[in-house]
Amino acid sequence: MKYEYVICHYAEIGLKGKNRKFFEEKLVENIKKALPGNSFQRVRRISGRILIELIEEKVNETQIKNSLKDVFGIAHFSFAVGCEQKIESIKEKAAEILKDKKFKSFRIETQRGKKDFPLDSQQINERVGEYVLRKLKTRNPKLKVNLKKPKITCFIEIVEKYAFLYLRKIPGPGGLPVSVSGKAISLLSGGIDSPVASFYGQRRGIEIIFLHFTSFPFTKQSSVEKVKKIVEILNRFQFQAKLYLVPFTEIQKEILLKTKAKLRVILYRRFMFRIAEVLAEKVRARALITGESVGQVASQTLENIGAIEEAVKLPVLRPLIGLDKKDIINEAGEIGTFDVSILPGEDCCSRFLPKHPETRANLAEVKREENKLNIGKLIEEAIKKTKVVRIINHKS
Ligand code: ATP
Ligand code: MG
């Protein structure tokens, strides 16, 4: 069977008026970016669905399936054939797509997006069911209609001027189309957690701008390569990305020299957040995302989180808050970032860790220590030396 279409369904909860059009347009745009360029003629909105018109001779099902599995917003999708919107044609087509399949029982399930079709869904099911049964019984005398537990279901959708038929619903990734929720800056360390946190942001429709702090010569070029690889992997969900590389060495040195050892990590983070906030304003990002999770390491206590977050005004999202480490590791494996995250490559903050880091930061003390530094100038210098890498994934 040669498929002519793919029909994509999305979860419609909360989609109304203008919102809906915006959502659908983004979804169309993202599907176009994800699909192999020569595989489709057109992608468009069609009453509550997205219709992909395939180039028949170029259909590579596996390739298309793999591309659509990364497009957030798709609840499920189906490879379909189409026919004229007449009951006779629909009957024929149903018999045709079922005739080479092996099954003992079946059912027809119709969805009518267009209410002026002369038959209702139930009537279509009955007419098509009867016809298929009669036609295929000659070869398979035991064939039955089974509404409760059929071996195969033939789905029919009546929309606009078309009738579409298909046999399988393939689950999509769910979520919201990337970029409908605006942008956020994700602080990406190269560890296991922050890539997963970025992924969760993308899944809720956030376009991620990636930000990584480097600390030459304390960290090596290989750490940067690692982070670039991670961004490439995550980029399959948003197709193009910016990665900011901010030199952190000077700030780190100042903190090491002038402030209490136990507060180092908290002060590093406050600086990271501030720099992220400055960049956020430049790119119009509305939130920061980190891979922090309460209590995962001694430093991630509620007190410390509070003392860090106080440095910025932007909301800080922590999508991993409810996950155990083993869940995060599983998820990183699924996304494909785990194997890169565990490659050797030191993070700037893992050097010079104090023996007894503060676990209950006191904000007044943190601020007192911090005020020994020229905060404004350090940030300005770091921003000046920031480099941006553009990551564009090439389609297969
Ligand atoms: P990860 O696995 O993401 O490294 P972690 O459990 O090791 O997280 P920390 O090292 O304490 O935790 O870092 C907490 C968060 O701070 C990270 O998830 C990340 O968002 C941010 N972060 C840490 N180091 C960097 C860095 N070099 N560049 C950018 N962000 C960083
Ligand atoms: Mg880390």
Side-chain angles (χ1 to χ4, degrees):
M1 171 64 58
K2 272 281 179 206
Y3 294 106
E4 303 154 83
Y5 304 97
V6 178
I7 302 176
C8 304
H9 286 256
Y10 47 82
E12 292 178 59
I13 305 158
L15 285 181
K16 290 190 197 108
K18 258 194 199 160
N19 236 350
R20 180 196 195 105
K21 186 160 178 253
F22 177 61
F23 176 104
E24 290 178 335
E25 279 171 356
K26 278 286 178 220
L27 191 52
V28 166
E29 199 180 306
N30 291 353
I31 288 173
K32 281 185 184 166
K33 284 182 190 161
L35 285 176
N38 59 359
S39 65
F40 65 93
Q41 216 141 33
R42 212 148 59 120
V43 179
R44 63 190 178 95
R45 304 154 48 207
I46 171 170
S47 45
R49 303 142 171 86
I50 306 293
L51 182 69
I52 305 170
E53 297 175 14
L54 298 169
I55 298 175
E56 243 183 278
E57 58 277 14
K58 298 260 173 68
V59 181
N60 178 333
E61 260 185 76
T62 315
Q63 225 181 5
I64 292 173
K65 236 186 284 181
N66 287 339
S67 313
L68 294 180
K69 281 199 164 148
D70 293 338
V71 181
F72 290 123
I74 299 179
H76 58 86
F77 60 95
S78 300
F79 288 89
V81 293
C83 69
E84 237 185 319
Q85 211 177 71
K86 285 191 182 142
I87 190 67
E88 293 309 318
S89 317
I90 298 171
K91 283 180 186 172
E92 285 296 335
K93 208 68 182 182
E96 190 186 324
I97 64 169
L98 285 165
K99 77 175 189 309
D100 299 326
K101 306 272 171 201
K102 284 212 168 81
F103 54 95
K104 290 191 188 117
S105 61
F106 75 101
R107 99 178 142 189
I108 309 289
E109 198 181 309
T110 304
Q111 239 189 339
R112 224 171 35 137
K114 196 181 145 171
K115 303 293 176 201
D116 56 355
F117 189 71
L119 303 170
D120 68 21
S121 308
Q122 189 48 33
Q123 288 168 322
I124 300 172
N125 292 344
E126 284 166 11
R127 304 258 182 115
V128 177
E130 241 168 60
Y131 181 82
V132 168
L133 195 60
R134 199 157 20 94
K135 186 113 189 192
L136 301 190
K137 233 179 169 164
T138 50
R139 242 182 300 164
N140 181 0
K142 285 191 184 149
L143 186 63
K144 279 198 188 81
V145 170
N146 181 339
L147 298 181
K148 284 225 174 88
K149 258 191 149 182
K151 289 282 181 225
I152 200 165
T153 300
C154 174
F155 297 93
I156 300 173
E157 294 190 20
I158 310 283
V159 271
E160 286 186 4
K161 61 182 183 16
Y162 306 90
F164 298 110
L165 295 93
Y166 56 88
L167 302 176
R168 216 153 74 82
K169 292 185 181 179
I170 305 164
L176 302 173
V178 163
S179 101
V180 291
S181 307
K183 295 182 212 167
I185 293 215
S186 181
L187 285 79
L188 193 66
S189 69
I192 297 168
D193 301 342
S194 39
V196 178
S198 309
F199 167 85
Y200 283 145
Q202 291 176 311
R203 197 162 76 173
R204 293 314 296 166
I206 300 175
E207 180 184 340
I208 304 283
I209 317 270
F210 297 92
L211 167 56
H212 177 68
F213 294 92
T214 60
S215 201
F216 302 120
F218 306 143
T219 61
K220 301 203 190 77
Q221 180 60 24
S222 59
S223 307
V224 175
E225 294 309 319
K226 216 174 117 171
V227 169
K228 277 192 199 160
K229 262 193 212 141
I230 290 174
V231 176
E232 272 167 28
I233 295 168
L234 292 170
N235 200 24
R236 72 178 195 273
F237 304 106
Q238 68 176 51
F239 322 109
Q240 53 188 14
K242 265 188 204 164
L243 166 63
Y244 284 97
L245 296 170
V246 181
F248 204 61
T249 320
E250 285 312 310
I251 293 174
Q252 215 172 351
K253 275 189 193 158
E254 283 285 295
I255 292 173
L256 282 169
L257 281 172
K258 297 187 181 156
T259 67
K260 285 186 185 163
K262 64 169 187 171
L263 294 179
R264 269 174 206 164
V265 177
I266 291 165
L267 294 178
Y268 292 161
R269 290 279 186 273
R270 282 173 64 91
F271 272 90
M272 287 183 176
F273 277 30
R274 285 197 182 98
I275 291 170
E277 192 172 54
V278 174
L279 292 172
E281 190 170 347
K282 276 195 190 177
V283 300
R284 294 205 203 91
R286 304 202 189 289
L288 308 182
I289 296 180
T290 77
E292 291 164 304
S293 158
V294 177
Q296 198 195 85
V297 285
S299 63
Q300 292 173 6
T301 59
L302 284 184
E303 286 86 346
N304 287 4
I305 285 177
I308 295 167
E309 191 167 315
E310 194 270 344
V312 290
K313 290 206 183 70
L314 273 186
V316 181
L317 310 180
R318 298 179 179 85
L320 306 186
I321 213 73
L323 276 77
D324 289 345
K325 191 73 187 187
K326 84 172 182 349
D327 301 332
I328 300 171
I329 289 174
N330 277 344
E331 196 65 57
E334 295 276 320
I335 302 164
T337 51
F338 182 77
D339 291 340
V340 184
S341 289
I342 58 170
L343 293 174
E346 219 175 349
D347 189 43
C348 57
C349 302
S350 49
R351 275 282 188 111
F352 317 112
L353 279 181
K355 272 214 183 83
H356 302 289
E358 182 59 85
T359 54
R360 301 245 155 106
N362 170 299
L363 189 57
E365 189 186 13
V366 169
K367 285 189 167 175
R368 229 175 10 249
E369 286 302 297
E370 200 174 57
N371 283 332
K372 296 178 182 166
L373 312 171
N374 189 339
I375 302 171
K377 183 148 183 287
L378 284 169
I379 290 176
E380 199 183 305
E381 285 296 312
I383 299 262
K384 235 191 251 166
K385 292 183 191 142
T386 292
K387 294 210 170 84
V388 53
V389 184
R390 272 164 224 281
I391 312 257
I392 296 168
N393 284 19
H394 296 287
K395 291 194 260 193
S396 45

